[in-house]
Amino acid sequence: MSNASSRELLAELVAFPTVSRDSNLALIEFVRDYLHGLGVTCELDYNAERSKANLFASIGPTDHGGVLLSGHSDVVPVDGQAWTVPPFALSERDGKLYGRGTADMKGFIACVLAAVPGFLEKPLRLPLHLAFSYDEEVGCLGVRSLLAELERRPNKPLLCLIGEPTELKPVLGHKGKLAMRCQVRGAACHSAYATHGVNAIEYAARLINRLGEIGQRLTALERQDARFDPPFSTVQTGLINGGRALNIVPAECQFDFEVRALPGDDPQQVAGELRDYAQTHLLPQMRERSAASAIDFQPLSAYPGLATDPHSDVAELLALISGSREFGTVAFGTEGGLFHQAGIATVVCGPGSMAQGHQADEFVSQSQLDGCDALLARLVKWMLA
């Protein structure tokens, strides 16, 4: 499919049902074969089970850093959603292209692949790198091994553009995230003798209430950053499970919570304060009735926030190719904070809107694809020798 359009390539990519719980290899192998057909060599970085892979490829000189275009290949499930079109086949209606991943974020990957012939036409003064990852949607997991490999190289990329859907508006920041599970173990007994047991649900409720108090403190005006919406770090409990019957004092309760932290805040401080409260105040009370009582915390996922300097080289490049210096932030997370931690200055800009991402009848407009094609054409011009 050499010289294929971004729309044609998007149709190919959407047809691969790369839900995070499943393999992405069919899509990655398609991209590898497409790039090989253009004379571009690819490296695949597999997970331990060899059921998923990241793809990395380079074009141009190899003696210095260059620019990286990055996207994730996985998508969220369609289970339980009321789709009116087939989710894993591209459909078009009124200038909108429908299908799972069209906005988040196969639209960008399709535009990048369509732009590759343009990068190959003339010598580049800087290397261009492509990185397509797996398992972004479940905690930015897959890209970590790819970044570890790049860290070992003498000429890793210097600048990174992640094409998450921003309606092609230039974005320099997003919040980080920490997701945790808390398991409370008490002691069961007949509810008629409730004082003889240790009610795990009630102690879990006290922990959740404490999280609410911590979250309220995070809203203090002096801690706010007006670039973000909401302008403060947030804490919320999303899942809770416990109890077997109303007449049994529950011995177990489990809840999951998350912290969405401004780039300047450390979400581990929230988890640390909750652990201290559990160890110092709750466990002594629980163990007065049952020595086997316990409160355990398990990390589920985490990724850092991103706050790129608006005067940095990568921000200047983004302003040039996007045509705007109205830098913003997004509420959702990306792999950008991980790239930044690896010493690769990162920005975010891509076609489509996250308002459609993860939804039934997800779509990207043809005009957004065309705009992304134009953005990448300007990048080609900037990179020519």
Side-chain angles (χ1 to χ4, degrees), residues 118-325:
F119 286 104
L120 292 169
E121 278 185 6
K122 296 180 181 179
L124 300 178
R125 62 186 175 87
L126 295 171
L128 176 79
H129 309 283
L130 310 180
F132 304 134
S133 65
Y134 66 88
D135 281 0
E136 188 272 351
E137 295 287 6
V138 289
C140 299
L141 302 180
V143 76
R144 297 170 196 255
S145 61
L146 173 60
L147 287 171
E149 171 59 29
L150 293 181
E151 290 263 34
R152 292 189 283 268
R153 300 189 178 189
N155 297 309
K156 68 183 179 184
L158 296 178
L159 311 177
C160 175
L161 169 63
I162 296 179
E164 291 277 7
T166 68
E167 297 180 288
L168 297 174
K169 297 173 183 176
V171 165
L172 302 186
H174 62 74
K175 294 179 180 179
K177 177 183 173 181
L178 172 67
M180 299 282 292
R181 173 167 294 160
C182 178
Q183 295 173 305
V184 181
R185 185 170 72 249
C189 70
H190 195 292
S191 62
Y193 305 97
T195 57
H196 297 175
V198 178
N199 191 312
I201 290 179
E202 292 181 0
Y203 280 97
R206 292 173 66 177
L207 287 163
I208 292 169
N209 184 65
R210 186 70 170 200
L211 279 173
E213 293 173 357
I214 296 171
Q216 187 60 41
R217 292 204 307 272
L218 294 175
T219 67
L221 187 62
E222 64 271 15
R223 302 191 63 146
Q224 295 188 12
D225 186 333
R227 297 174 298 171
F228 294 86
D229 180 21
F232 44 80
S233 299
T234 59
V235 183
Q236 74 107 18
T237 302
L239 292 169
I240 185 167
N241 183 43
R244 297 181 180 276
L246 185 57
N247 62 353
I248 301 174
V249 170
E252 295 179 347
C253 185
Q254 172 182 291
F255 64 91
D256 296 350
F257 67 94
E258 69 170 21
V259 186
R260 300 270 181 169
L262 293 171
D265 286 350
D266 181 2
Q268 293 290 350
Q269 290 183 352
V270 173
E273 181 173 339
L274 194 66
R275 283 194 190 94
D276 289 345
Y277 176 68
Q279 293 288 332
T280 304
H281 296 279
L282 301 188
L283 273 175
Q285 298 174 20
M286 297 168 69
R287 287 174 175 167
E288 286 180 1
R289 296 184 184 174
S290 172
S293 297
I295 300 176
D296 298 312
F297 293 89
Q298 173 190 352
L300 299 176
S301 65
Y303 56 76
L306 177 68
T308 297
D309 184 345
H311 303 293
S312 62
D313 289 343
V314 71
E316 294 295 336
L317 173 59
L318 181 58
L320 176 68
I321 64 175
S322 70
S324 174
R325 294 193 62 87

Side-chain angles (χ1 to χ4, degrees), residues 327-349:
F327 299 127
T329 65
V330 288
F332 57 87
T334 78
E335 296 167 335
L338 293 168
F339 279 99
H340 177 78
Q341 284 186 346
I344 303 172
T346 301
V347 292
V348 183
C349 185

